[in-house]
């Protein structure tokens, strides 16, 4: 760490000139996307941008997000139980000020990028020290950060981090990230269908038949603006019915994202009788297709198998545009596996700034994490 230093920025305008060159391997760390977060972040979120230097040369970039859960309208309304009520009480009273190192809005290892190989001892130092500096920044403003979470590391990274500053930080695993590794021999949707076993070919045909009458349209920026209110309502319905939420997007998030990122952000509208009844979004991240937020009318979704058709459409887009993998994220594990995605375990690290609470963080976390029961499907011959 002798030659390595970091600087924390509060605004995208302040970032060094070479930021995007350093971040070129990850769209979620580049200034067009960071500008979207700055201009249309969830109302309870504040972002910090971390530049990492070797002497005076920028060699790495990172992202941190502060969330004030007191400003949240709901933690999620799907599950109603005593255990969930206790969980919500604990979050509200003991974890309402949370700092994430990484991006809490997406699944995957998107917390940092470097132009050269940096050892994990150095990375662990930078992450811990950045968290401590941002915690101090809030303390000076009279806000005590309760929880600090380091988000989404693939197994080989978490193993290495634990050898250094993370050795005494509680490691947790939540639901796996569903990743679809696309067969390079597939050049069209027909190739994908041919690879499915009969059961899942029948599922595909049934879903497509149910989708008859729905028109899918790749929306321009002007069309996103035109349908913004409906897009948000469809998103908000799905988000508030999720089992757990730490944020809700700003109403102008999708139009801001389309305006800033252009063709690297794709938003597809699903229309029935000229009415927008659903949408899904994609972010193009080099050879990786990242699924982003979606929304739908629940009555149409059930009747027309809208969600499953969205997954098939994302798969088709990935194949036809030469992507190597699709990141489907953490929800709806079983249905995503029926399309072809496989679970990839990811780790996070978490600590509480109250030493007594932190002593029992492992036991507390296990009580708060909902139990997961699902069956992985194997759709290919």
């Amino acid at each position: 760490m002798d030659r390595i230093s970091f600087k924390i920025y509060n605004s995208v305008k302040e970032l060094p000139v070479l930021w995007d060159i350093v971040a070129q391997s990850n769209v979620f760390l580049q200034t067009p996307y960071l500008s979207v977060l700055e201009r249309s972040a969830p109302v309870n979120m504040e972002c910090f941008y971390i530049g990492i230097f070797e002497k005076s040369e920028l060699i790495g970039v990172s992202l941190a997000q502060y969330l004030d859960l007191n400003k949240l309208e709901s933690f999620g309304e799907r599950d109603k139980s005593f255990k969930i009520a206790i969980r919500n009480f604990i979050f509200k009273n003991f974890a309402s000020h949370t700092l994430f190192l990484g991006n809490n809005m997406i699944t995957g290892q998107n917390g940092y990028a470097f132009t050269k190989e940096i050892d994990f001892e150095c990375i662990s130092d930078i992450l811990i020290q950045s968290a401590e500096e941002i915690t101090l920044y809030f303390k000076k403003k009279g806000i005590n950060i309760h929880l600090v979470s380091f988000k989404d590391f693939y197994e080989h990274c978490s193993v290495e981090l634990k050898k250094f500053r993370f050795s005494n930080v509680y490691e947790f695993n939540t639901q796996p990230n569903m990743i679809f590794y696309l067969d390079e021999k597939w050049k069209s949707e027909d190739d994908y269908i041919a690879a499915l076993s009969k059961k899942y070919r029948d599922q595909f045909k049934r879903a497509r038949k149910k989708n008859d009458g729905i028109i899918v349209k790749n929306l321009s920026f002007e069309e996103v603006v035109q349908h913004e209110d409906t897009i948000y309502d469809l998103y908000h319905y799905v988000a508030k019915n999720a089992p757990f939420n730490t944020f809700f997007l700003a109403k102008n998030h999708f139009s801001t994202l389309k305006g800033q990122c252009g063709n690297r952000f794709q938003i597809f509208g699903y229309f029935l009788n000229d009415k927008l009844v659903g949408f899904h979004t994609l972010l193009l991240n080099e050879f990786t297709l990242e699924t982003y937020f979606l929304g739908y009318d629940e009555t149409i979704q059930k009747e027309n198998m809208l969600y499953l058709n969205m997954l098939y459409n994302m798969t088709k887009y990935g194949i036809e545009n030469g992507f190597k993998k699709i990141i489907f994220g953490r929800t709806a594990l079983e249905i995503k596996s029926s399309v072809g995605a496989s679970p990839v375990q990811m780790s996070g690290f978490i600590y509480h700034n109250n030493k007594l609470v932190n002593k029992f963080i492992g036991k507390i976390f296990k009580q708060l994490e909902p139990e997961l029961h699902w069956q992985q499907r194997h759709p290919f011959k």
Side-chain angles (χ1 to χ4, degrees), residues 72 74-81 83-85 87-88 91 174-175 236-248 296 330-333 336 368-372:
L72 205 62
S74 158
F75 285 115
E77 297 173 8
R78 191 189 75 182
D79 299 333
K80 310 283 186 187
S81 72
K83 185 176 179 179
I84 299 298
R87 179 200 68 184
N88 292 354
F91 268 97
T174 55
Q175 295 184 13
H236 190 255
Y237 172 81
V238 173
K240 75 177 182 180
N241 283 286
F244 187 64
N245 262 315
T246 54
F247 66 87
F248 288 96
Y296 48 69
R330 283 201 168 91
T331 56
L333 309 182
K336 286 172 180 173
L368 298 178
E369 180 64 17
E371 208 170 338
L372 184 64

Side-chain angles (χ1 to χ4, degrees), residues 14-206:
E14 301 170 1
L15 299 182
V17 177
L18 298 178
W19 184 280
D20 283 343
I21 293 172
V22 175
Q24 63 184 339
S25 64
N26 195 314
V27 66
F28 294 113
L29 289 166
Q30 293 165 16
T31 55
Y33 178 78
L34 298 181
S35 298
V36 174
L37 293 186
E38 188 166 270
R39 289 168 54 191
S40 66
V43 292
N44 64 327
M45 177 182 288
E46 185 177 345
C47 294
F48 298 85
Y49 319 101
I50 303 160
I52 301 154
F53 298 86
E54 186 173 45
K55 294 185 177 175
S56 60
E57 179 191 356
L58 184 71
I59 61 163
V61 298
S62 186
L63 174 68
Q65 296 174 331
Y66 159 71
L67 284 173
D68 182 356
L69 301 187
N70 291 310
K71 294 181 179 177
L72 205 62
E73 60 185 90
S74 158
F75 285 115
E77 297 173 8
R78 191 189 75 182
D79 299 333
K80 310 283 186 187
S81 72
F82 183 62
K83 185 176 179 179
I84 299 298
I86 291 174
R87 179 200 68 184
N88 292 354
F89 174 82
I90 290 172
F91 268 97
K92 203 78 172 170
N93 291 278
F94 298 98
S96 56
H97 299 290
T98 299
L99 178 65
F100 288 93
L101 272 289
N103 192 331
N104 189 46
M105 296 171 66
I106 49 174
T107 303
Q109 192 166 307
N110 298 295
Y112 56 77
F114 290 93
T115 55
K116 59 195 292 186
E117 198 164 315
I118 303 293
D119 62 68
F120 279 95
E121 182 175 11
C122 187
I123 292 172
S124 69
D125 278 338
I126 291 164
L127 291 173
I128 295 287
Q129 288 179 29
S130 298
E132 289 171 349
E133 187 167 316
I134 297 171
T135 299
L136 186 61
Y137 163 84
F138 279 104
K139 194 170 186 179
K140 288 175 181 175
K141 293 173 68 175
I143 297 169
N144 289 319
I145 297 292
H146 298 131
L147 275 180
V148 177
S149 179
F150 303 85
K151 190 175 179 291
D152 282 358
F153 298 97
Y154 291 111
E155 188 177 9
H156 72 281
C157 293
S158 61
V159 167
E160 291 299 319
L161 289 170
K162 281 187 290 185
K163 294 176 183 176
F164 305 105
R165 293 287 295 274
F166 284 80
S167 60
N168 295 318
V169 184
Y170 177 70
E171 181 184 9
F172 65 91
N173 306 106
T174 55
Q175 295 184 13
N177 187 6
M178 299 302 289
I179 302 179
F180 192 173
Y181 296 95
L182 299 174
D183 191 323
E184 60 183 20
K185 295 192 291 290
W186 297 341
K187 304 301 177 189
S188 68
E189 186 178 58
D190 288 340
D191 295 333
Y192 165 72
I193 297 164
L196 295 170
S197 66
K198 184 180 183 306
K199 176 181 176 181
Y200 291 96
R201 267 202 316 276
D202 290 344
Q203 174 182 284
F204 178 89
K205 290 174 186 173
R206 189 166 63 252

Side-chain angles (χ1 to χ4, degrees), residues 221-286:
F221 170 72
E222 290 75 19
E223 288 168 323
V224 175
V225 172
Q226 179 190 342
H227 295 287
E228 186 142 65
D229 289 345
T230 308
I231 289 170
Y232 186 81
D233 288 344
L234 294 169
Y235 149 76
H236 190 255
Y237 172 81
V238 173
K240 75 177 182 180
N241 283 286
F244 187 64
N245 262 315
T246 54
F247 66 87
F248 288 96
L249 295 174
K251 291 196 173 182
N252 66 338
H253 185 78
F254 297 104
S255 62
T256 306
L257 192 48
K258 187 63 179 172
Q260 283 289 122
C261 297
N263 288 333
R264 294 189 75 178
F265 174 63
Q266 303 284 324
I267 178 164
F268 294 86
Y270 289 68
F271 294 85
L272 182 61
N273 301 324
D274 294 325
K275 180 188 175 188
L276 183 66
V277 294
F279 75 93
H280 79 259
T281 56
L282 298 168
L283 272 155
L284 286 51
N285 196 4
E286 286 214 14

